[in-house]
Amino acid sequence: MTHSHTHAAGRRTGTSSRHGGRSAVPVPPQIPARRGPGGRRLLAALLLVGLLASVLPWWLGTPAGSLKSTAATLSAAGRITGLVAGYLLLVQVLMMSRLSVLERWIGGEHLSRWHRDVGATLLVAVLAHLSLILAGYSELRKQSILAEVGTLLGEYEDMVSAFVAAGIMMLIGFSSIRVIRRALPYEMWHLLHRSSYLVLLLGFGHQFTHGAQLYRPGPVRTGWIAMYVLVVAALLWGRVIAPLAFNLRHQLRVADVVAESPDTVSIYLTGERLDRLAMLGGQHFRWRFLTRGCWWQSHPFSVSAAANGRWLRLTVKVVGTHTADLRDLDQGTRVWAQGPSGTFTAAHRVRERALLIAGGSGITPIRAMLEELPPGAALIYRARTPADVLLSRELDWLAQERDTSLWYVIGSRDDPGPRQLMSPDGLRQLVPDVARRDVYLCGPPGLVEQSVRALRRAGVPRRQIHLATFEL
Amino acid sequence: MRRAFLAITGLAASTTALVVLKGSPEATQVAQNLPSGQPVNPAGPGADPSAEPAADPAAAASTPSAAPGAPSSPTPTKTTTARPSGTKTTTKAPSAPRTTTKAPQSTTRRVTGAGFDAKDGSETYGYVQVQIVVSGNRIVDAVALSLPSGGESDIHSGDVRSSYDGSGGEVVRKQNANLNTVSGATATSNAYKQSLRAAIEQAF
């Protein structure tokens, strides 16, 4: 397929014709205010201060010059890494608490990236803590490392559970290495990650029975326990109370299931007080459809229309058994939703104008966002065949209403047309000011990778590239 | 991944830096740790039950470096410590606090003794510092603010703590520093007694 065959490759701008006035936007669109990186930076600074504060007791409690022997030095390093590991574990759990403040200020994409980086650091800290303490203690007792392990397990309270916690953490860490993670079934990986709560529980005891800075009652111990209480409270709030309140308030139900294409359906939802649902176009929820066979799975799907106060819609491509079941949802089925989350929104733009690149069913968040972007945006919609193009009528209307240039680029990735277009030169030709635009990307991984490479070479700074990644 | 690598490097570097910083002694703090020659023994002569040669290792180990730090020994601090009454004169005998005829001030105060290293020959197990709570002329509580920790030291320090510390511990029962050495924890016991002695010195 050549470029000339691409479907509807024309440039459509809203100024030309406004006949009919049928708009997919029933209410005058509101462009959300920008959310700068201020909140994120503040939280990052707070977390860093917390890290320093958690090592401070060691610093204050250790007299200068007291680390004279090798054993003392090793144990001291072990204690520092232990304190760091204890703190980072709490940070890790906190970041996954789905607290709406974190979601708002940091955003799911950043959170999951932080989670991955802090996770790697945590794993190293735990391993360092373990080996340094073992080395230090065995040096002190003049026995082999193995014998020392035996002594610790046999004679020290809470140490067995601490070792188990370290073991689980190592498993989690290694299972998250990209190569290994791809080879594992998702359910297994997920189950392993769930067991990190166990790590929190099992690792708790030994910090207070043996932690040189923590076993003594006092402000340090109290503060450390308070951190635990805080994190558990955040978990409860973010994962139980807030979703409960949300679902009781809105009581979402399936209103209709509409076929968009042979393998795509739109699910319309209604509920109570939807006008008070604070959601931005491009955000997603985790959905749980409360029918037999579906209730136990929750999946993240973007909402494919901006908030309108009356209904929500998600557009889902049928790829597995779960999504196939969604085609047969009955009207009135209750839906449990968690969210909204995601920073793939107009509010996170850093420039005035945007370029949107969608691939296949990746159009859904972009379709919703289109209603909230300032005029002058450009949308490139990649699809393999014309039948894969979703919501095209809405897109056409929206493009008109919102003064947006819209290109449908149809064909396989290796066809000359799409290939030429998705190159740095092709992008610059199509959107001359691409380097000064925000670029929102959503689609299959191949397309996203290819586009990011092309965009970077076309001179788009990294911070202007927004990816819709669903954290797990 | 680049940031994770940075974070891990940072962790390693800062841990090393912290340990190195604490490892290099500062003049003032060392002075505190080192014993002040032969401390005045409020427990009286011969009261020290530790008959072993290494019984008083910290005192024996008055290393040359102690000389510059000597001024900050517990003895001079005596004059600087605020004290509610003139009970100072009644001390020096181990039984003095109990037999004093002066009306005891019923105020409670906390007195912290100088810290000592728990040493056995060349091996230093850690730092020991004792705080006592004095009500009138009685020691009503004792607590070790610092004890050696790590490895077996945790166990020994626990033993020392459980026999000496607290309102029902040996310190409160005996009202002096003439404590029984905890078996297996000679060095720690001795350092405890030294610090306790310093605290009693300071308090009465």
Side-chain angles (χ1 to χ4, degrees):
Chain A
M1 204 177 260
T2 64
H3 190 53
S4 59
H5 285 136
T6 56
H7 170 75
R11 189 183 173 103
R12 293 159 193 268
T13 52
T15 44
S16 54
S17 65
R18 273 182 156 242
H19 53 80
R22 290 178 64 200
S23 164
V25 197
V27 283
Q30 285 181 336
I31 298 165
R34 271 190 217 179
R35 283 182 197 167
R40 190 173 75 229
R41 287 187 189 145
L42 180 73
L43 276 180
L46 273 180
L47 291 180
L48 213 61
V49 168
L51 179 65
L52 293 182
S54 59
V55 184
L56 193 66
W58 174 86
W59 178 260
L60 295 179
T62 308
S66 64
L67 307 179
K68 281 169 201 140
S69 63
T70 333
T73 310
L74 285 173
S75 314
R79 267 176 217 137
I80 296 170
T81 47
L83 287 168
V84 169
Y87 177 74
L88 289 185
L89 176 64
L90 287 176
V91 170
Q92 280 293 77
V93 178
L94 181 71
M95 283 201 290
M96 288 296 115
S97 66
R98 296 190 184 159
L99 215 57
S100 57
V101 176
L102 298 176
E103 197 63 66
R104 235 185 122 78
W105 286 13
I106 305 178
E109 289 84 0
H110 271 101
L111 272 179
S112 52
R113 212 175 318 153
W114 286 12
H115 185 74
R116 199 186 53 209
D117 292 339
V118 172
T121 317
L122 170 61
L123 184 66
V124 171
V126 165
L127 288 178
H129 168 60
L130 197 101
S131 41
L132 284 167
I133 289 283
L134 271 180
Y137 282 20
S138 65
E139 169 83 21
L140 196 73
R141 259 182 278 224
K142 309 265 183 285
Q143 61 181 5
S144 73
I145 299 269
L146 271 181
E148 184 59 43
V149 171
T151 317
L152 283 181
L153 285 177
E155 294 174 18
Y156 279 57
E157 210 183 325
D158 293 327
M159 212 35 108
V160 179
S161 60
F163 268 80
V164 173
I168 296 176
M169 199 181 286
M170 265 185 263
L171 271 179
I172 294 174
F174 289 124
S175 73
S176 297
I177 295 173
R178 214 162 289 169
V179 186
I180 300 173
R181 183 176 159 182
R182 283 210 190 109
L184 283 176
Y186 171 77
E187 279 76 18
M188 186 171 164
W189 179 84
H190 194 233
L191 195 72
L192 259 175
H193 244 77
R194 275 282 159 86
S195 62
S196 51
Y197 295 123
L198 219 57
V199 173
L200 202 63
L201 192 73
L202 292 174
F204 183 80
H206 86 286
Q207 303 180 40
F208 296 98
T209 39
H210 306 298
Q213 274 70 43
L214 298 174
Y215 76 86
R216 196 179 305 130
V220 178
R221 185 185 168 105
T222 314
W224 203 261
I225 293 176
M227 284 207 295
Y228 263 87
V229 172
L230 220 64
V231 165
V232 170
L235 265 183
L236 268 180
W237 184 265
R239 291 206 174 235
V240 182
I241 297 172
L244 207 65
F246 177 91
N247 285 286
L248 285 178
R249 189 167 60 227
H250 296 302
Q251 304 195 1
L252 297 172
R253 287 167 186 278
V254 173
D256 205 357
V257 180
V258 177
E260 298 286 353
S261 82
D263 61 351
T264 311
V265 291
S266 277
I267 301 166
Y268 286 82
L269 306 173
T270 54
E272 308 282 314
R273 282 166 273 204
L274 289 186
D275 51 322
R276 280 201 269 152
L277 179 64
M279 179 191 79
L280 294 167
Q283 288 191 307
H284 63 272
F285 288 81
R286 277 179 202 78
W287 305 99
R288 204 181 276 277
F289 296 91
L290 305 180
T291 59
R292 203 180 332 155
C294 284
W295 64 270
W296 52 278
Q297 289 188 70
S298 97
H299 287 269
F301 293 118
S302 296
V303 176
S304 62
N308 56 26
R310 291 177 293 137
W311 45 264
L312 294 174
R313 181 183 65 183
L314 46 154
T315 305
V316 180
K317 188 175 181 177
V318 176
V319 284
T321 51
H322 175 70
T323 41
D325 288 343
L326 294 183
R327 283 191 294 199
D328 304 327
L329 284 173
D330 290 325
Q331 273 187 16
T333 303
R334 283 182 174 278
V335 182
W336 182 269
Q338 259 192 61
S341 41
T343 53
F344 194 71
T345 74
H348 292 86
R349 67 190 186 276
V350 293
R351 294 299 197 132
E352 261 321 298
R353 293 207 276 185
L355 165 64
L356 310 155
I357 301 177
S361 59
I363 190 68
T364 54
I366 285 177
R367 151 69 184 82
M369 202 194 308
L370 213 51
E371 293 179 48
E372 295 175 344
L373 281 171
L379 166 59
I380 299 173
Y381 189 1
R382 282 280 291 112
R384 198 171 286 271
T385 66
D388 290 326
V389 173
L390 301 174
L391 312 170
S392 64
R393 295 200 327 150
E394 290 177 36
L395 292 173
D396 292 346
W397 289 331
L398 274 172
Q400 279 186 15
E401 287 287 324
R402 313 284 300 153
D403 196 12
T404 297
S405 315
L406 167 60
W407 294 275
Y408 294 97
V409 182
I410 314 294
S412 149
R413 194 189 312 167
D414 301 323
D415 286 345
R419 212 164 70 188
Q420 202 280 329
L421 187 82
M422 299 311 290
S423 67
D425 287 338
L427 286 169
R428 262 197 299 251
Q429 251 169 26
L430 209 60
V431 189
D433 60 344
V434 61
R436 292 193 305 278
R437 283 176 185 252
D438 283 291
V439 183
Y440 292 86
L441 273 165
C442 187
L447 172 78
V448 170
E449 274 166 40
Q450 185 199 13
S451 308
V452 169
R453 238 177 293 134
L455 288 165
R456 296 284 292 141
R457 271 191 287 154
V460 182
R462 198 182 291 276
R463 65 189 199 101
Q464 279 168 234
I465 301 178
H466 309 266
L467 305 179
T469 44
F470 296 134
E471 78 273 29
L472 297 157
Chain B
M1 227 49 234
R2 202 173 32 180
R3 281 194 298 186
F5 182 74
L6 272 177
I8 291 166
T9 318
L11 172 70
S14 47
T15 305
T16 316
L18 283 176
V19 170
V20 168
L21 276 174
K22 278 296 181 193
S24 61
E26 285 169 58
T28 49
Q29 295 229 340
V30 170
Q32 261 187 26
N33 298 356
L34 287 167
S36 54
Q38 198 58 52
V40 183
N41 188 354
D48 198 340
S50 40
E52 301 92 325
D56 211 350
S62 321
T63 45
S65 63
S72 68
S73 63
T75 328
T77 57
K78 201 172 168 181
T79 51
T80 58
T81 322
R83 219 165 291 108
S85 69
T87 49
K88 189 167 30 172
T89 49
T90 64
T91 54
K92 290 292 183 272
S95 52
R98 273 178 291 174
T99 55
T100 180
T101 50
K102 290 212 171 158
Q105 292 258 338
S106 56
T107 47
T108 308
R109 55 216 156 93
R110 292 177 174 275
V111 184
T112 307
F116 291 88
D117 277 341
K119 275 190 184 174
D120 188 6
S122 61
E123 187 74 63
T124 305
Y125 296 114
Y127 184 69
V128 179
Q129 193 163 28
V130 180
Q131 185 180 69
I132 51 175
V133 180
V134 180
S135 178
N137 284 325
R138 261 186 76 78
I139 302 173
V140 293
D141 198 1
V143 60
L145 298 181
S146 174
L147 282 174
S149 53
E152 209 155 82
S153 297
D154 286 338
I155 301 167
H156 298 327
S157 294
D159 292 345
V160 169
R161 192 178 282 285
S162 57
S163 50
Y164 293 165
D165 274 12
S167 49
E170 202 176 334
V171 175
V172 174
R173 283 203 308 277
K174 290 209 168 145
Q175 293 290 316
N176 59 40
N178 186 3
L179 307 170
N180 293 321
T181 301
V182 175
S183 68
T186 311
T188 305
S189 299
N190 287 328
Y192 191 107
K193 281 180 253 179
Q194 281 180 302
S195 183
L196 176 62
R197 238 170 255 145
I200 293 175
E201 271 285 293
Q202 224 180 90
F204 299 105

